[in-house]
Amino acid sequence: MRRLLPFLLLWACLCAMWLLLVGGVSPGSLLLGAALAAGACWGYALLEPGRARLRRPLVAARLFLDVLADVIRSNVAVAGIILRPGRADRRAGFVRIPLALRAPGGLAVLACILTAAPGTAWVEYDSATGVLLLHILDLVEEETWVRTVKDRYERPLLEIFA
């Protein structure tokens, strides 16, 4: 059965989501949902995902709280930018940040963190050099952003994904 459906729980969740989206259970929608979920599971199996292990749960919890606070702070700052337009000293820009983090899972989490906060966007990552290109809506000082990403986010992610 593992070979036929490599991720049984994922298959069941995708089937349930399909049935919720179509708004009813009929033989046709059940069959189509099962087929689509099976295709998605087989496609996911081709990616050969590694086993996820949570290392350093206290560091992960602390990172979660830091990110939550930063997202709230960023929402307030972006709301201020929108509600009080016209400041002449405000400028958007790009920042290049050299990263030591190379773990794909860690980079994915970092991308989610940086794009979750309004006003920042992950633009590009060069895997050969390890340089991240980040767009900042209200760029005051580049070095502050480099230090923030490296100290506040990258360092805990290195501990979690080491």
Side-chain angles (χ1 to χ4, degrees), residues 6-7 10 36-49:
F7 302 100
L10 177 63
L36 289 172
C41 288
W42 292 329
Y44 185 63
L46 291 175
L47 295 174
E48 297 178 23

Side-chain angles (χ1 to χ4, degrees), residues 4 33-34 111 113 122 133 150:
L4 185 60
I113 289 170
W122 176 294
L133 182 62
K150 292 194 74 56

Side-chain angles (χ1 to χ4, degrees), residues 36-37 134 137:
L36 289 172
L134 189 65
L137 178 65

Side-chain angles (χ1 to χ4, degrees), residues 82-95:
I82 293 170
L83 296 175
R84 286 182 274 125
R87 266 189 41 202
D89 62 335
R90 185 167 290 130
R91 70 176 178 93
F94 293 92
V95 177

